[in-house]
Amino acid sequence: MRSELPPEVLGHLGPILSWVEGTDGLRLPSAWINDSLSFARREQAWLVREFPTYSFDSVESIVVLARGDEALREFTIRGDHRGAAPRPPAAFSLARMLESLARRYFRWRGNELTVRERRLVELHELALRFPVRHLVRAAHALQVEGGHLEIDRALEQPFRFEQLHTSSRSLRAVVERNLVETHMHLWGTLSGDEVWADHVLRPVQGRELARFDPFERRLIRLGRATVRLLAWALLDFDLIDHETSTVSMGRAQALLPLLDQIYRAPTPREETRALKRFSEAYRFTVGRATQTRRIRSGGRPERPEELIDLLSPTIGRIRYGWTTRPSGFHWRIRALDRLHFRVIRRLLGTYGGRRPSDLANTQGRGCTLRTAFLEEVFFRYLVYHTHHWHQTAQSGRTTGLQHFKRFYDGRLRQTLDEEDPSAYSLVFDHLHRTKALRQVEGRVAPPGRGASDLLPWVVAFADGSKRHALERFGLVIHFIKSETPSRPSKQPFGRLRHHRERRETQLAAMDLFRLLRTPHPVVPFIVAIDAANVELTTPPEVFAPAFRFLREFPIELRRGSVLERFGPFDHVAALVADRQLGMTYHVGEDFRHLLSGLRAIDEVIEYCQPLPGDRLGHATALALDPEVWARQIGYQALVSRQEWLDDLVWVYKTLGSGDDLVGKLGLEDRIQKLGRQLYPGPALLSPDPRFEGPERRRSNQTGSRPLDTTPPTLTDAWRLRCLDPFSVDLESLQRGKIEIMSQAFHGIQGWRWNQVQQRVHKEIEPNIGHDDALRLLARYWYSRITREAGDEIIPIDFERRQDEWLEICRRAQVAVQERVKRRQLVVEVNPKINRLVGPVQRLSEHPIFRMTLDKDRRLRRDVRVTVNTDNPGVVATSLMHEFYLLGEILLREGVPETEVEEWLDWLRRNAESFNFTVKLPKVDQWRMREILDRVLDENRHLLYGIRGRTARNRSNDWLTFLRRE
């Protein structure tokens, strides 16, 4: 997989990316610096590997991952440049880089910055490697230089490129209508730029830094140091007399070697010493500046936030707009963005409308020294910022959900947590900036401490809904798939497959059920349930009992509660009366074999019994071109033996025994052979000495008949996996019968769980053809021998008979698509994240095109699809840009604009029709308005960080108010 960026763009960014992606990836020749050389010479340099080829996962690396080994090491060489310091080449101009790339990607329509037509896909590829915010601010600075934009207006322009519109009128005509986001992880809205601002401006104690690894600690320290230098240098420009500027710049230049010593420190001890030397020299330099240059600060500004705070009054028209300086994410991001804008303007020569040559003529040699110093510091800052960007945003060099989890759950991003309540309102600020966005479903983890974990989201929505156009907001509670499968233990049910995941899911479902029965104001906003995380380790059968438990019957509010005495909760009860939760499920996104991904989609339908209007998350396997997938993996897949047996059994069930390819490939013989390997021994006597059960006592009386492992029996055993093993008696299962036991949960939730299991049993029991299906299920659940044999990785090589196997995949895809259509299910598509995480190499090969368009790229209304973002901050996108990307791909292929508009509008209307928040009233309707007003009035303190951090201080704020009233 290669980058789609053209060589001239990589040539501009080469000096910066070389420090981020390693010296082995880049040797910068003079051909890429000298603009006078022809493009043919540049292309020749590319072909002879004088310029980097950016590395993605190879087939061998994916094979290593499929074997279950540890996560692959990053390609990034962290600061290993053979003792050199991050310094730009002699002929490199940072200002020229910013100006060239800004003019390449952006244009102005009136006073609005937009992305150029046919450049959006390329810009998104660039955002995988470089924080594009600096290019956006460079475009603003160029407009200010030309006198076309006021400074105040420029600072109010969006600085995240994914909030900019495209220049294409045809695409904007569709996207600027009502948009609905149905698949978004709320914490994934915060971007790598915001994490960087939090790290470099928030006071960080040494104890807090201890939890980062050495490289991450070094990045944070280097970022804070360079921010100090940038801010101090701008103060020096604006507030210091020019007569002594040479002396001041001499002291400033002495700080750069100290900064490089921190970067090159071989050990943490040397890094600490270098940091101490830099702090002492910086303090002395700033002290001399404050004593001789009339800075009215009341003291020496040593912290970076104090320095940046001084930037505001230096230009009269630049104001924060706040009476007092706020705290939290908002201030840090806005302050750092102002610093970026000021530095870029200085480098581009736009300060005061004068170019560097004009300043040099009036101020002499001091201006040249200061400009060179600022470029040296800003180059280092971009290197550190880009390093950090690769740690907190998906870099595009790797594939697979496990790699993506390393970015999403990394320590650098985990600082953005509920400990800082301003992050909640910041998320909604991002949503409101997408002006056409009207409805949002946000995914959050199950509330471990009840309603207090969800209340800040409702408070932030209530606060934003008073000022913006977001009409509806819903919470989707997503259960967590385990990243590592549970191991056998000595506890009861310890030998049960996925015992820990099953128990945790069951307990979380019980907690959610109890919350949904209370008339708490957050309850109307809980609209659906989901299952998310690494797909390869936790199959749908684990979540099926909990999903059916929460969805089989309407959840009624508990009567006799103290909350019923208060008027607003009558509105809550009216909103949730006889309402069933919606269901969505992350599936078919990450798989070792295409048949495994298709089977997982079918298992969700078989085990969870979704209703019309329910949704499937991602589901890339549903329409991924089998030929493209096979070519990517080299016509060889590595899967576990149990997984391959399940795939073959599912194909036999789906296509039928009379299918010509089933007989030609001998699937029945393959299934029986694998079945005997996984389920050896007599029917009632397990060969596993640790397998406890009554079958050992009866083995001598029943004989040694082997288990029936024919495809029909294995199919019945596969269907039975939707049962809850905690509710099934193992002894009766070994006798070939099913007896549902009562759960240990008391009250309505225990009764409900048992009723659901009885119903599932009645649905399945008439279809069981052979008693051995139940015995096979018992072995699958409990046998250690079966599990160890099934976990063995085997190679599946289908290159010699690739035509037959690929045709099997195509027929299986058609069968699953037909089942999805009959069930009237909706597929949630996330183009950008599928390009990075899933098996999609190019956006033009995304399954959404095969799912909704025919071979001539004409709309066919078969499978309902919605377009979403998933984690917009992590992958640098927005819902607008997802539509723009899809439309631009079709326009580049020559599809007429009218047909592209029709297709995009159909996708947009699907989200309007098939979302779970549509059942809620809008914010301006009286029932919802009453709830939001009361929530905001009594819980506004949650927006401003007054919330306590203990569960006691955080729980039941609303209930405490009512009792006091």
Short mmCIF file of all heavy atoms in Angstrom, two decimals, residues 681-715:
data_model
loop_
_atom_site.label_atom_id
_atom_site.label_comp_id
_atom_site.label_asym_id
_atom_site.label_seq_id
_atom_site.Cartn_x
_atom_site.Cartn_y
_atom_site.Cartn_z
N GLY A 681 -13.29 -38.60 20.20
CA GLY A 681 -13.74 -39.40 21.33
C GLY A 681 -15.21 -39.79 21.23
O GLY A 681 -15.93 -39.39 20.32
N PRO A 682 -15.67 -40.59 22.21
CA PRO A 682 -17.07 -41.03 22.21
C PRO A 682 -18.02 -39.90 22.52
O PRO A 682 -17.63 -38.83 22.97
CB PRO A 682 -17.09 -42.10 23.31
CG PRO A 682 -15.96 -41.72 24.21
CD PRO A 682 -14.91 -41.15 23.32
N ALA A 683 -19.29 -40.15 22.31
CA ALA A 683 -20.29 -39.10 22.45
C ALA A 683 -20.42 -38.62 23.88
O ALA A 683 -20.55 -37.43 24.14
CB ALA A 683 -21.64 -39.62 21.95
N LEU A 684 -20.34 -39.52 24.87
CA LEU A 684 -20.58 -39.14 26.26
C LEU A 684 -19.32 -39.16 27.10
O LEU A 684 -19.38 -38.93 28.31
CB LEU A 684 -21.62 -40.05 26.90
CG LEU A 684 -23.03 -39.94 26.33
CD1 LEU A 684 -23.97 -40.86 27.08
CD2 LEU A 684 -23.52 -38.51 26.40
N LEU A 685 -18.19 -39.47 26.53
CA LEU A 685 -16.95 -39.51 27.31
C LEU A 685 -15.96 -38.55 26.68
O LEU A 685 -15.44 -38.78 25.59
CB LEU A 685 -16.36 -40.92 27.34
CG LEU A 685 -15.02 -41.05 28.10
CD1 LEU A 685 -15.19 -40.63 29.55
CD2 LEU A 685 -14.49 -42.47 28.01
N SER A 686 -15.71 -37.46 27.35
CA SER A 686 -14.76 -36.49 26.83
C SER A 686 -13.35 -36.96 27.08
O SER A 686 -13.04 -37.46 28.16
CB SER A 686 -14.98 -35.13 27.51
OG SER A 686 -13.94 -34.25 27.17
N PRO A 687 -12.44 -36.86 26.12
CA PRO A 687 -11.04 -37.21 26.35
C PRO A 687 -10.31 -36.21 27.23
O PRO A 687 -9.16 -36.43 27.59
CB PRO A 687 -10.46 -37.22 24.94
CG PRO A 687 -11.30 -36.24 24.19
CD PRO A 687 -12.68 -36.38 24.75
N ASP A 688 -10.95 -35.10 27.56
CA ASP A 688 -10.31 -34.09 28.39
C ASP A 688 -10.42 -34.49 29.85
O ASP A 688 -11.53 -34.55 30.39
CB ASP A 688 -10.99 -32.74 28.15
CG ASP A 688 -10.27 -31.60 28.87
OD1 ASP A 688 -9.36 -31.90 29.65
OD2 ASP A 688 -10.65 -30.44 28.64
N PRO A 689 -9.33 -34.81 30.57
CA PRO A 689 -9.45 -35.24 31.96
C PRO A 689 -9.96 -34.14 32.87
O PRO A 689 -10.44 -34.42 33.96
CB PRO A 689 -8.01 -35.64 32.33
CG PRO A 689 -7.15 -34.89 31.37
CD PRO A 689 -7.94 -34.79 30.11
N ARG A 690 -9.87 -32.86 32.44
CA ARG A 690 -10.34 -31.75 33.27
C ARG A 690 -11.79 -31.40 32.98
O ARG A 690 -12.35 -30.50 33.60
CB ARG A 690 -9.47 -30.52 33.04
CG ARG A 690 -8.03 -30.69 33.48
CD ARG A 690 -7.21 -29.47 33.13
NE ARG A 690 -7.82 -28.24 33.64
CZ ARG A 690 -7.39 -27.02 33.34
NH1 ARG A 690 -6.37 -26.87 32.53
NH2 ARG A 690 -8.00 -25.97 33.83
N PHE A 691 -12.38 -32.09 32.01
CA PHE A 691 -13.78 -31.80 31.67
C PHE A 691 -14.66 -32.51 32.68
O PHE A 691 -14.81 -33.73 32.67
CB PHE A 691 -14.08 -32.28 30.25
CG PHE A 691 -15.42 -31.83 29.75
CD1 PHE A 691 -15.50 -30.69 28.99
CD2 PHE A 691 -16.56 -32.52 30.05
CE1 PHE A 691 -16.72 -30.26 28.50
CE2 PHE A 691 -17.78 -32.11 29.57
CZ PHE A 691 -17.87 -30.97 28.81
N GLU A 692 -15.27 -31.77 33.60
CA GLU A 692 -16.12 -32.34 34.63
C GLU A 692 -17.54 -32.46 34.11
O GLU A 692 -18.03 -31.61 33.40
CB GLU A 692 -16.10 -31.47 35.88
CG GLU A 692 -14.72 -31.34 36.49
CD GLU A 692 -14.72 -30.38 37.67
OE1 GLU A 692 -15.81 -29.89 38.01
OE2 GLU A 692 -13.64 -30.16 38.23
N GLY A 693 -18.23 -33.49 34.52
CA GLY A 693 -19.61 -33.66 34.10
C GLY A 693 -20.06 -35.09 34.33
O GLY A 693 -19.26 -36.00 34.58
N PRO A 694 -21.35 -35.31 34.26
CA PRO A 694 -21.90 -36.65 34.54
C PRO A 694 -21.62 -37.66 33.45
O PRO A 694 -21.90 -38.85 33.64
CB PRO A 694 -23.40 -36.36 34.65
CG PRO A 694 -23.61 -35.15 33.79
CD PRO A 694 -22.38 -34.34 33.92
N GLU A 695 -21.08 -37.20 32.30
CA GLU A 695 -20.88 -38.15 31.22
C GLU A 695 -19.84 -39.20 31.58
O GLU A 695 -19.90 -40.33 31.06
CB GLU A 695 -20.48 -37.42 29.93
CG GLU A 695 -19.09 -36.82 29.93
CD GLU A 695 -19.02 -35.54 30.72
OE1 GLU A 695 -20.05 -35.13 31.28
OE2 GLU A 695 -17.94 -34.95 30.77
N ARG A 696 -18.90 -38.92 32.46
CA ARG A 696 -17.88 -39.90 32.79
C ARG A 696 -18.48 -41.06 33.58
O ARG A 696 -18.01 -42.19 33.50
CB ARG A 696 -16.76 -39.24 33.58
CG ARG A 696 -16.03 -38.15 32.82
CD ARG A 696 -14.84 -37.65 33.61
NE ARG A 696 -13.82 -38.70 33.77
CZ ARG A 696 -12.90 -38.99 32.86
NH1 ARG A 696 -12.86 -38.33 31.72
NH2 ARG A 696 -12.02 -39.93 33.08
N ARG A 697 -19.52 -40.78 34.35
CA ARG A 697 -20.13 -41.85 35.15
C ARG A 697 -20.99 -42.77 34.30
O ARG A 697 -21.24 -43.90 34.68
CB ARG A 697 -20.98 -41.23 36.25
CG ARG A 697 -20.18 -40.41 37.26
CD ARG A 697 -21.02 -40.09 38.47
NE ARG A 697 -22.15 -39.25 38.15
CZ ARG A 697 -22.11 -37.90 38.19
NH1 ARG A 697 -20.98 -37.30 38.51
NH2 ARG A 697 -23.18 -37.20 37.89
N ARG A 698 -21.48 -42.28 33.16
CA ARG A 698 -22.38 -43.08 32.34
C ARG A 698 -21.68 -43.66 31.11
O ARG A 698 -22.31 -44.29 30.29
CB ARG A 698 -23.55 -42.23 31.85
CG ARG A 698 -24.46 -41.75 32.98
CD ARG A 698 -25.74 -41.13 32.39
NE ARG A 698 -26.65 -40.73 33.42
CZ ARG A 698 -26.66 -39.52 33.98
NH1 ARG A 698 -25.77 -38.63 33.59
NH2 ARG A 698 -27.53 -39.21 34.92
N SER A 699 -20.42 -43.44 30.96
CA SER A 699 -19.75 -43.82 29.73
C SER A 699 -19.75 -45.32 29.52
O SER A 699 -19.90 -45.80 28.40
CB SER A 699 -18.33 -43.28 29.74
OG SER A 699 -17.62 -43.83 30.85
N ASN A 700 -19.59 -46.10 30.59
CA ASN A 700 -19.53 -47.55 30.43
C ASN A 700 -20.88 -48.13 30.07
O ASN A 700 -20.96 -49.24 29.55
CB ASN A 700 -19.02 -48.18 31.73
CG ASN A 700 -17.58 -47.79 32.00
OD1 ASN A 700 -16.82 -47.55 31.08
ND2 ASN A 700 -17.23 -47.71 33.28
N GLN A 701 -21.98 -47.40 30.38
CA GLN A 701 -23.31 -47.93 30.11
C GLN A 701 -23.77 -47.61 28.69
O GLN A 701 -24.62 -48.31 28.14
CB GLN A 701 -24.32 -47.33 31.10
CG GLN A 701 -23.95 -47.57 32.55
CD GLN A 701 -24.86 -46.83 33.51
OE1 GLN A 701 -25.85 -46.23 33.08
NE2 GLN A 701 -24.55 -46.88 34.80
N THR A 702 -23.26 -46.52 28.09
CA THR A 702 -23.75 -46.09 26.79
C THR A 702 -22.87 -46.50 25.63
O THR A 702 -23.21 -46.26 24.48
CB THR A 702 -23.90 -44.56 26.78
OG1 THR A 702 -22.63 -43.99 27.08
CG2 THR A 702 -24.92 -44.13 27.82
N GLY A 703 -21.72 -47.07 25.88
CA GLY A 703 -20.84 -47.45 24.81
C GLY A 703 -19.95 -46.32 24.37
O GLY A 703 -19.86 -45.29 25.00
N SER A 704 -19.25 -46.50 23.27
CA SER A 704 -18.25 -45.53 22.82
C SER A 704 -18.57 -45.02 21.42
O SER A 704 -17.70 -44.90 20.58
CB SER A 704 -16.86 -46.16 22.83
OG SER A 704 -16.84 -47.31 22.00
N ARG A 705 -19.85 -44.76 21.16
CA ARG A 705 -20.25 -44.24 19.85
C ARG A 705 -19.64 -42.86 19.64
O ARG A 705 -19.73 -41.99 20.51
CB ARG A 705 -21.77 -44.15 19.78
CG ARG A 705 -22.29 -43.55 18.48
CD ARG A 705 -23.80 -43.45 18.51
NE ARG A 705 -24.28 -42.62 19.59
CZ ARG A 705 -24.36 -41.29 19.56
NH1 ARG A 705 -23.95 -40.64 18.48
NH2 ARG A 705 -24.84 -40.62 20.59
N PRO A 706 -18.99 -42.59 18.49
CA PRO A 706 -18.41 -41.26 18.26
C PRO A 706 -19.51 -40.24 17.99
O PRO A 706 -20.63 -40.57 17.61
CB PRO A 706 -17.53 -41.46 17.03
CG PRO A 706 -18.15 -42.62 16.31
CD PRO A 706 -18.71 -43.52 17.38
N LEU A 707 -19.16 -38.98 18.18
CA LEU A 707 -20.09 -37.90 17.92
C LEU A 707 -20.38 -37.76 16.43
O LEU A 707 -19.51 -38.01 15.59
CB LEU A 707 -19.52 -36.58 18.44
CG LEU A 707 -19.60 -36.32 19.95
CD1 LEU A 707 -18.78 -35.11 20.30
CD2 LEU A 707 -21.04 -36.11 20.38
N ASP A 708 -21.59 -37.38 16.13
CA ASP A 708 -21.98 -37.13 14.75
C ASP A 708 -21.47 -35.75 14.35
O ASP A 708 -21.90 -34.72 14.88
CB ASP A 708 -23.50 -37.18 14.62
CG ASP A 708 -23.96 -36.96 13.19
OD1 ASP A 708 -23.10 -37.00 12.28
OD2 ASP A 708 -25.16 -36.72 12.98
N THR A 709 -20.53 -35.69 13.42
CA THR A 709 -19.95 -34.41 12.98
C THR A 709 -20.29 -34.14 11.52
O THR A 709 -19.50 -33.52 10.79
CB THR A 709 -18.42 -34.42 13.16
OG1 THR A 709 -17.86 -35.54 12.46
CG2 THR A 709 -18.06 -34.49 14.63
N THR A 710 -21.45 -34.57 11.10
CA THR A 710 -21.89 -34.25 9.75
C THR A 710 -22.32 -32.78 9.68
O THR A 710 -22.64 -32.17 10.70
CB THR A 710 -23.06 -35.14 9.34
OG1 THR A 710 -24.12 -34.98 10.29
CG2 THR A 710 -22.63 -36.61 9.31
N PRO A 711 -22.33 -32.16 8.50
CA PRO A 711 -22.68 -30.74 8.40
C PRO A 711 -24.03 -30.37 9.00
O PRO A 711 -24.12 -29.34 9.67
CB PRO A 711 -22.62 -30.48 6.90
CG PRO A 711 -21.63 -31.46 6.37
CD PRO A 711 -21.82 -32.69 7.21
N PRO A 712 -25.11 -31.16 8.83
CA PRO A 712 -26.38 -30.75 9.46
C PRO A 712 -26.30 -30.68 10.99
O PRO A 712 -26.84 -29.75 11.60
CB PRO A 712 -27.37 -31.83 8.99
CG PRO A 712 -26.79 -32.35 7.72
CD PRO A 712 -25.31 -32.33 7.93
N THR A 713 -25.61 -31.63 11.61
CA THR A 713 -25.50 -31.61 13.07
C THR A 713 -24.63 -30.45 13.54
O THR A 713 -24.95 -29.78 14.52
CB THR A 713 -24.91 -32.95 13.57
OG1 THR A 713 -25.70 -34.03 13.07
CG2 THR A 713 -24.89 -32.99 15.09
N LEU A 714 -23.53 -30.21 12.85
CA LEU A 714 -22.70 -29.07 13.21
C LEU A 714 -23.44 -27.75 12.98
O LEU A 714 -23.23 -26.77 13.73
CB LEU A 714 -21.41 -29.09 12.39
CG LEU A 714 -20.39 -30.17 12.77
CD1 LEU A 714 -19.28 -30.24 11.74
CD2 LEU A 714 -19.81 -29.89 14.15
N THR A 715 -24.31 -27.69 11.98
CA THR A 715 -25.11 -26.49 11.76
C THR A 715 -26.06 -26.26 12.92
O THR A 715 -26.24 -25.12 13.39
CB THR A 715 -25.89 -26.61 10.44
OG1 THR A 715 -24.96 -26.76 9.36
CG2 THR A 715 -26.75 -25.38 10.21
#
